[in-house]
Amino acid sequence: MKSNFDPTTLEIYRALFTSVAEEMGVALRRTAFSPNIKERRDYSCAVFDAQGRVIAQGDHMPVHLGSMPMAVAAALEQIELAPGDVVALNDPFAGGTHLPDVTLVMPVVSKQRKLFYVANRAHHADIGGATPGSMGLATDIYGEGLRIPPIRLVRNGTLDADTMRLLLANVRGNVERRGDFDAQIGSLKTGATRLLEIIERRGEREAVEYASQLIDYSARLMRYTIAAIPDGSYGAEDFLDDDGVDDRAVLIKVRIVVKGEQALVDFTGSAPQVTGAINAVEAITVSAVSYVFRCLVGGEVPASAGLMAPIEVIAPRGTVVNANPPASVAGGNVETSQRIVDVLFRALANALPDRIPAASQGTMNNLTIGGIDTRNGQEFSYYETVAGGMGARPALEGMNGVHTHMTNSLNTPAEAI
Amino acid sequence: MVSRQPIRIGVDTGGTFTDFVFERDGRVELFKLPSTPSDPSLAIQEGLNRICADTGSELDHIEVVHGTTVGTNALLQRKGARIALVTTAGFEDVLAIGRQARPELYNLNAIKPPPLVADELRLGVAERVVASGEVLEPLYERDLKNLVRKLKQAGVEAVAVSLLFSFLHPEHEERIASALASLDVPLSISSRIHPEYREYERTSTVVINAYLQPLMGRYLQRLSKQQGTQLNLRVMQSSGGSISADVAAIEPVRTILSGPSGGVVGALRAAHSAGLQNVITFDMGGTSTDVALCDSGAIRTTNEATVAGLPVAVSVMDIHTVGAGGGSIARVDEGGSLRVGPESAGADPGPACYGRSLLPTVTDAHVVLGHFGGAGLLGGEFKLDEKRAREAMSGLANDLGRVSGKRCSVIAAAEGVLSVANTNMERALRHISVERGHDPRQFALLPFGGAGGLHAVDLARALRIPTIIAPTAPGALSAVGVLVADVIKDQSRTVMFTYAAKEIAKLGSVFREMEKEATTVLRGEGFSRSKQRHERSLAMRYRGQSFELEIPETSGDLATAFHRAHLERYGYAQEHSEIEIVSARLRSFGLVEKLAQTRIGASRQRRKTKPHHEVTAHIDGRKATVGLYKRNELLAGAKLQTPCIVTEYSATTLIPSDAHARVDQFGNLLIEI
């Protein structure tokens, strides 16, 4: 191992960048309006370098782990961000996951140069569409709600009131939505302020250099982890019962090829995309792979772009693991992602029988309720996911009443709904 | 017998020592005895007998205030009582499910600790109160009879009762309490202990209370009946004030952070003596570090604490703990990063310099860099093995050299360990300051514990804290704090209205009612009106939020004050949004006689004081000859030559060349950077 870095400085930046993401999370949770964000903590915050590569992410939602970077990539590709701009997006076919997850991205600018980006993603309790909660049985993306390609929500520090009006006119419970957007923007500002302080204190060159070093560091840890898996080709498959529209089982199939420090994860052979809303977009599938390998690393690792460097994912287009528009995708994020994880673990169990748990509940048990509150005539919508069981471990019982794998959202207290 | 003021004694039970502080003839005296972990009351009894013998007092003529870890330890070690929980039918598993999240996201072998109440002892009763406070389903008498029968058979030692929405309609819980009275075991009723929303957190709080009641009751009973005499005993509560032993026995959950909160009160007293109001306390020990923030001379409390992995929703001092201390072990991980902790060498085998291991720790880094001035610990009683420290650190230096491809010296390795340790502790300090909207530049840093002074300057620089105050007797700060802590009674009334002038007007009577109640209680405890103080505040939020900010009631226009507080804490205010006032809170103090501040002898020198002797040490990346001062030889007004090391019985302070250090009239060491 020969690399031009100082181990002490590396460790310091690991802590610094991670704490920026965590502080953003605290700010978001404390100021959000909807129970889904403030009580259930269904959000993630992350820091990116100037190329849009993720450097650090708070320990928030695993399903956002691999998918946030794709959202930032899409935002940077489509919009030339100026200082003070904030881009919003939720389009699952342009870096999003499902419509309720809205991602905001902001550049961090020092001396007219964009050195970093900060981003956060929050699950909004409603984003329009046919059913309250925007998680219904739609058969295309248009029925699921408002699709937001990367657009500027804030221009040069000023909220774009026209855009905000358009957004709010298309969602239920718009006072709550507005409050949540404000909280997201406030959280980005918190992150940017912190990064600028770090730059001021330690110097721009070092901060930028060690952002890059952190990515290499995660990559080294992942290569070390993969090298410890016996070389070979490990396959597994499993099904989702049906897609909610007809009753055919939906196949998810994977083959993991481990060779030295590299892994290839190939989903070829998985079912074609379906009519119902359980299609996963590529970002979800990459997230699931990212989560599974992250678990194998063990210990604290920065959730940086380096984690996926030694891993190649093949998710054929037009399948249930990489749907094309205009497929409906609301459940891909919350149902299919969990089954993908179970299938990946099943494959890896062939390689690492002493480390891999049995399948878990394989779902997040989504529940949405909404309508008109008869007491005051106001619209409301409410979203919950219900925990279940975690599969038994080789030397330990499983756990019950706990969220597994791709989610870790809290339940809403009955007394807080 | 001559009538005179009773002797007041502060007692703090620690893991190794039990500290005693008392005042005699206007002088504060303190001593330590070895703790007796199997029954902490034994050491206390010995200490009290000694004080009585020394001062010619009788046991019935002393007042004892006690900081205890009995509750915390029972919870950490899961050695509490066999208890039952009565809850609304259908909600028996709220305690087991919790908030359904797992603590470690990526650990496939995580273990979820079982709830404090066994599955078969979580009993549901049919009843339902809804969010408006109305009764949807009544509580039936026949169910109560069944419940009592079941609990009798089960033979439980205490019972917790927590029904849904009990804070809006306590009657059902009260009826259950009456029915359970025949069991003759302690009861913990949620609407009495913590009448606030969030069923899991409230239930967890009363369950912890029930779990500790039998044990704490017996302990306090044993302690207050000293050799046939009834002792005047008070217990430090987690929120920074003391409560009577009787209250502590009924609501032991309030004492869960009794010891650490004494430390913060003691630290705050030292800060006040130096004329400082805003301080961040920094207590660094062997395995962990506790930090807390006090602004405007007041202690901050939280209702969102977690102890032993379980939520405690009653008011607790806002102390943040991180697993980083002198014993934290340094290593290079597989990716080539220098990690320090959370693994700790503890006291056994301890850091390499303790002579029993070769684990490179934070303490070893200080030894290698010469920061102890070759003096050892505990005033030289405890020798440090420098050779071993160097050997351990040299192993780490080899690892560092291997990953970076550049040779790494032992000194550079030790400096690296300290930089990383400081970064971890800086995170803890940021967590309680910046993340909560406080600007560290407006605070002083107050280090205590054995290692606090070794890291204080570096941390203060990182956070731009201008002043450090190293208090006198940092080893006995908790016992002092326990002794000087005021008696505190907290009350809260949920009012829940939208901000408007006519609603504000109603607050007056709500506060007056609470003050009346507090006044009566405090008078009963011997505090006349002039020895009482009441602080009013309001829990406010924007309509739609679910976390409140606490705004003092006296701060003029409440809406403006709230917008400003929100802006400070979260970076924005929504001046056009509706504001809700969720509850009116009253904190009432019974003001305890202040301890005399002992002035130390003054220095007549105008020039800087000469150090005791000189040593070689590495400070700020440079090897230099630095002065070593002995703390107990320093006089008031003394100015120190920097860089220097100040040693004392239980602590060491490191002062670099660009800092100014002087001693104030009470012996506090003030460092300006």
Side-chain angles (χ1 to χ4, degrees):
Chain A
M1 193 169 10
K2 275 248 157 80
S3 222
N4 208 3
F5 68 95
D6 171 43
T8 305
T9 314
L10 182 65
E11 177 67 10
I12 289 171
Y13 275 96
R14 189 179 69 82
L16 285 177
F17 286 130
T18 308
S19 74
V20 172
E22 280 168 3
E23 278 182 40
M24 290 171 67
V26 172
L28 177 55
R29 174 164 69 92
R30 288 290 178 153
T31 54
F33 277 53
S34 63
N36 192 49
I37 299 172
K38 62 195 181 185
E39 293 285 352
R40 299 189 55 245
R41 305 184 193 173
D42 191 349
Y43 60 77
S44 283
C45 300
V47 182
F48 298 80
D49 72 2
Q51 289 90 56
R53 299 180 302 167
V54 65
I55 309 163
Q57 197 161 333
D59 259 357
H60 302 130
M61 293 287 281
V63 72
H64 299 157
L65 192 69
S67 55
M68 285 273 276
M70 289 173 121
V72 172
L76 300 188
E77 197 174 295
Q78 299 197 19
I79 296 211
E80 181 58 40
L81 275 154
D85 286 355
V86 174
V87 165
L89 71 110
N90 75 346
D91 186 352
F93 302 106
T97 47
H98 62 173
L99 295 177
D101 279 341
V102 183
T103 304
L104 264 55
V105 186
M106 185 169 99
V108 180
V109 181
S110 169
K111 298 181 189 129
Q112 321 299 308
R113 279 178 309 132
K114 288 178 274 186
L115 298 180
F116 296 100
Y117 292 92
V118 285
N120 55 35
R121 165 175 292 172
H123 184 124
H124 287 248
D126 190 279
I127 197 73
T131 47
S134 318
M135 300 275 288
L137 296 173
T139 53
D140 64 24
I141 187 87
Y142 307 107
E144 293 193 308
L146 183 66
R147 188 169 160 197
I148 312 168
I151 53 166
R152 288 185 188 84
L153 188 60
V154 177
R155 284 168 196 271
N156 194 16
T158 309
L159 187 81
D160 188 325
D162 291 350
T163 305
M164 184 58 90
R165 278 212 309 281
L166 178 67
L167 293 184
L168 296 182
N170 282 282
V171 299
R172 297 172 184 85
N174 55 29
V175 174
E176 193 176 277
R177 290 297 79 66
R178 174 63 202 264
D180 287 348
F181 277 121
D182 282 343
Q184 275 189 275
I185 294 168
S187 146
L188 294 179
K189 287 183 185 162
T190 301
T193 308
R194 274 288 283 129
L195 281 167
L196 290 172
E197 277 172 23
I198 292 170
I199 293 167
E200 195 198 329
R201 197 167 114 200
R202 305 202 57 113
E204 180 187 312
R205 225 181 62 188
E206 189 190 75
V208 169
E209 185 199 331
Y210 275 87
S212 193
Q213 291 288 2
L214 271 177
I215 294 173
D216 295 348
Y217 167 65
S218 302
R220 280 196 298 278
L221 283 172
M222 185 55 87
R223 281 199 290 269
Y224 177 87
T225 302
I226 295 173
I229 306 174
D231 279 4
S233 172
Y234 309 102
E237 57 181 57
D238 200 351
F239 298 87
L240 290 156
D241 289 353
D242 58 68
D243 72 344
V245 175
D246 63 38
D247 59 4
R248 276 194 302 265
V250 181
L251 175 67
I252 293 171
K253 186 171 175 181
V254 76
R255 178 151 294 280
I256 301 175
V257 182
V258 176
K259 195 174 170 197
E261 296 182 330
Q262 306 277 324
L264 171 73
V265 182
D266 184 355
F267 288 92
T268 301
S270 297
Q273 66 189 64
V274 293
T275 316
I278 57 154
N279 298 295
V281 291
E282 190 181 17
I284 303 277
T285 304
V286 171
S287 273
V289 173
S290 178
Y291 165 77
V292 166
F293 281 87
R294 169 71 186 77
C295 287
L296 297 180
V297 177
E300 264 187 77
V301 195
S304 81
L307 281 184
M308 288 302 281
I311 302 170
E312 187 188 345
V313 180
I314 298 175
R317 286 197 147 275
T319 65
V320 72
V321 295
N322 184 3
N324 283 324
S328 55
V329 298
N333 190 32
V334 292
E335 293 294 323
T336 314
S337 67
Q338 293 282 59
R339 188 53 48 88
I340 295 173
V341 168
D342 283 338
V343 176
L344 286 165
F345 275 130
R346 176 178 283 192
L348 284 169
N350 297 314
L352 303 167
D354 298 340
R355 294 188 58 192
I356 304 298
S360 296
Q361 67 164 339
T363 169
M364 298 183 194
N365 292 312
N366 293 266
L367 171 75
T368 58
I369 304 171
I372 308 286
D373 185 339
T374 51
R375 291 169 302 185
N376 55 20
Q378 284 183 355
E379 287 168 352
F380 71 96
S381 56
Y382 162 74
Y383 174 50
E384 184 81 47
T385 58
V386 184
M390 182 197 184
R393 284 72 66 91
L396 275 173
E397 287 181 349
M399 292 188 280
N400 56 31
V402 70
H403 257 322
T404 53
H405 301 323
M406 298 300 276
T407 186
N408 199 40
S409 56
L410 277 62
N411 50 22
T412 313
E415 294 172 351
I417 297 170
Chain B
M1 184 176 148
V2 189
S3 166
R4 54 171 183 171
Q5 283 284 321
I7 298 229
R8 297 181 62 248
I9 303 163
V11 182
D12 180 62
T13 304
T16 317
F17 291 108
T18 300
D19 297 345
F20 297 82
V21 170
F22 64 102
E23 195 174 12
R24 173 160 52 172
D25 307 327
R27 283 212 347 267
V28 178
E29 300 198 12
L30 42 98
F31 65 91
K32 285 173 185 281
L33 290 177
S35 289
T36 46
S38 60
D39 179 0
S41 67
L42 296 176
I44 298 175
Q45 195 174 329
E46 188 190 336
L48 296 182
N49 285 339
R50 179 165 148 184
I51 295 172
C52 284
D54 279 6
T55 60
S57 295
E58 299 294 330
L59 277 172
D60 61 0
H61 203 63
I62 59 175
E63 274 176 39
V64 178
V65 194
H66 180 27
T68 173
T69 50
V70 166
T72 327
N73 288 344
L75 193 59
L76 285 169
Q77 297 161 9
R78 296 264 175 160
K79 286 184 177 162
R82 176 180 155 84
I83 59 169
L85 168 67
V86 179
T87 187
T88 304
F91 290 81
E92 296 87 347
D93 289 336
V94 161
L95 196 67
I97 296 168
R99 295 298 293 272
Q100 86 183 4
R102 58 192 189 280
E104 297 166 277
L105 278 184
Y106 305 104
N107 180 359
L108 296 174
N109 291 314
I111 292 169
K112 192 173 159 181
L116 297 178
V117 191
D119 290 356
E120 67 278 8
L121 290 176
R122 299 195 302 266
L123 307 171
V125 287
E127 68 87 44
R128 187 69 189 255
V129 174
V130 293
S132 60
E134 291 163 79
V135 176
L136 192 67
E137 187 181 3
L139 177 65
Y140 301 101
E141 281 305 317
R142 59 161 200 279
D143 290 346
L144 285 179
K145 287 201 183 95
N146 281 336
L147 183 69
V148 172
R149 205 187 56 238
K150 261 192 231 166
L151 286 172
K152 267 193 180 131
Q153 284 168 357
V156 292
E157 296 167 77
V159 182
V161 182
S162 181
L163 305 180
L164 216 56
F165 290 108
S166 63
F167 54 98
L168 296 176
H169 183 87
E171 287 80 357
H172 285 181
E173 285 192 350
E174 290 300 338
R175 279 177 54 202
I176 292 174
S178 312
L180 297 186
S182 64
L183 292 176
D184 200 25
V185 296
L187 302 178
S188 298
I189 310 298
S190 91
S191 51
R192 292 184 199 161
I193 292 175
H194 184 64
E196 304 255 355
Y197 81 118
R198 291 196 181 101
E199 64 275 13
Y200 170 58
E201 286 76 3
R202 186 179 65 250
T203 304
S204 167
T205 306
V206 288
V207 162
I208 292 171
N209 197 67
Y211 189 67
L212 300 178
Q213 266 174 333
L215 181 98
M216 198 66 156
R218 286 193 299 268
Y219 171 66
L220 292 173
Q221 182 79 30
R222 211 159 52 231
L223 197 55
S224 52
K225 281 263 188 311
Q226 293 277 340
Q227 294 136 49
T229 314
Q230 184 67 34
L231 200 66
N232 181 350
L233 180 68
R234 307 187 59 81
V235 178
M236 187 72 179
Q237 61 177 336
S238 322
S239 62
S242 69
I243 46 179
S244 70
D246 292 346
V247 175
I250 296 167
E251 298 189 352
V253 69
R254 295 193 192 280
T255 68
I256 206 85
L257 291 180
S258 178
S261 80
V264 176
V265 174
L268 198 58
R269 170 179 179 269
H272 285 169
S273 75
L276 297 166
Q277 296 294 313
N278 290 351
V279 289
I280 296 174
T281 66
F282 170 62
D283 176 8
M284 183 172 169
T287 53
S288 66
T289 298
D290 289 342
V291 296
L293 180 141
C294 311
D295 64 335
S296 308
I299 284 153
R300 304 192 74 81
T301 54
T302 174
N303 292 317
E304 293 171 46
T306 302
V307 180
L310 302 169
V312 173
V314 291
S315 181
V316 164
M317 200 178 277
D318 201 353
I319 297 172
H320 179 58
T321 303
V322 287
S328 292
I329 300 169
R331 67 180 177 95
V332 178
D333 72 12
E334 294 81 6
S337 197
L338 172 60
R339 312 288 286 263
V340 178
E343 297 81 14
S344 171
D348 193 19
C353 60
Y354 285 15
R356 288 188 300 269
S357 80
L358 271 176
L359 298 167
T361 65
V362 172
T363 304
D364 295 305
H366 285 298
V367 170
V368 165
L369 295 172
H371 292 169
F372 293 108
L377 303 178
L378 299 180
E381 280 172 32
F382 191 100
K383 294 270 180 286
L384 295 172
D385 188 338
E386 287 190 40
K387 201 165 143 262
R388 255 181 193 272
R390 183 166 277 275
E391 191 183 340
M393 206 49 68
S394 135
L396 184 73
N398 287 340
D399 291 348
L400 287 166
R402 189 169 42 76
V403 297
S404 65
K406 271 182 283 200
R407 212 185 77 78
C408 176
S409 70
V410 173
I411 296 299
E415 284 169 344
V417 170
L418 296 188
S419 305
V420 172
N422 283 339
T423 305
N424 294 340
M425 284 179 289
E426 183 196 333
R427 261 175 97 169
L429 291 170
R430 294 193 64 86
H431 180 73
I432 55 156
S433 58
V434 181
E435 280 184 33
R436 303 188 184 172
H438 299 286
D439 183 348
R441 283 172 295 190
Q442 293 164 2
F443 288 80
L445 187 66
L446 194 148
F448 60 108
L454 289 167
H455 294 257
V457 171
D458 281 334
L459 290 171
R461 279 180 185 155
L463 289 154
R464 301 179 189 177
I465 295 174
T467 309
I468 295 159
I469 163 173
T472 46
L477 225 47
S478 290
V480 172
V482 159
L483 186 56
V484 300
D486 291 322
V487 173
I488 291 185
K489 179 178 167 57
D490 286 313
Q491 292 180 85
S492 172
R493 298 273 191 278
T494 300
V495 289
M496 195 65 81
F497 57 72
T498 305
Y499 185 87
K502 82 174 195 310
E503 301 280 7
I504 301 292
K506 290 184 201 156
L507 285 172
S509 64
V510 176
F511 279 119
R512 276 193 297 278
E513 192 189 304
M514 285 193 283
E515 277 167 8
K516 201 173 149 196
E517 189 183 321
T519 305
T520 313
V521 172
L522 288 175
R523 192 177 291 134
E525 298 199 10
F527 295 95
S528 65
R529 198 61 224 243
S530 63
K531 298 270 171 162
Q532 295 185 14
R533 188 160 59 84
H534 305 272
E535 280 178 7
R536 300 171 168 192
S537 64
L538 295 158
M540 300 170 72
R541 65 185 183 194
Y542 290 120
R543 196 179 151 80
Q545 291 181 320
S546 70
F547 289 98
E548 298 85 41
L549 284 176
E550 192 161 321
I551 308 294
E553 198 248 358
T554 49
S555 50
D557 182 49
L558 282 170
T560 313
F562 174 71
H563 291 310
R564 197 188 311 122
H566 200 276
L567 181 70
E568 271 173 23
R569 183 121 165 209
Y570 300 122
Y572 75 97
Q574 292 181 311
E575 269 138 31
H576 303 293
S577 295
E578 277 186 331
I579 298 173
E580 274 178 341
I581 296 185
V582 177
S583 48
R585 295 180 182 163
L586 185 74
R587 167 161 281 201
S588 304
F589 298 83
L591 302 175
V592 165
E593 288 295 327
K594 294 302 162 227
L595 267 184
Q597 290 279 7
T598 313
R599 281 171 210 271
I600 62 169
S603 160
R604 292 199 186 81
Q605 279 184 327
R606 295 182 62 196
R607 306 227 309 260
K608 286 186 177 168
T609 306
K610 283 218 169 66
H612 182 270
H613 63 276
E614 288 185 329
V615 294
T616 305
H618 293 259
I619 296 182
D620 276 345
R622 277 188 303 274
K623 185 176 179 178
T625 301
V626 304
L628 185 137
Y629 291 93
K630 297 207 163 173
R631 182 84 184 253
N632 53 6
E633 294 173 357
L634 294 174
L635 299 172
K639 295 190 187 76
L640 310 191
Q641 295 172 0
T642 58
C644 67
I645 296 168
V646 182
T647 63
E648 59 196 294
Y649 180 68
S650 61
T652 308
T653 307
L654 207 57
I655 308 171
S657 56
D658 58 347
H660 301 280
R662 64 184 170 87
V663 179
D664 77 3
Q665 55 180 333
F666 303 113
N668 297 308
L669 186 57
L670 296 169
I671 305 166
E672 314 273 343
I673 51 174

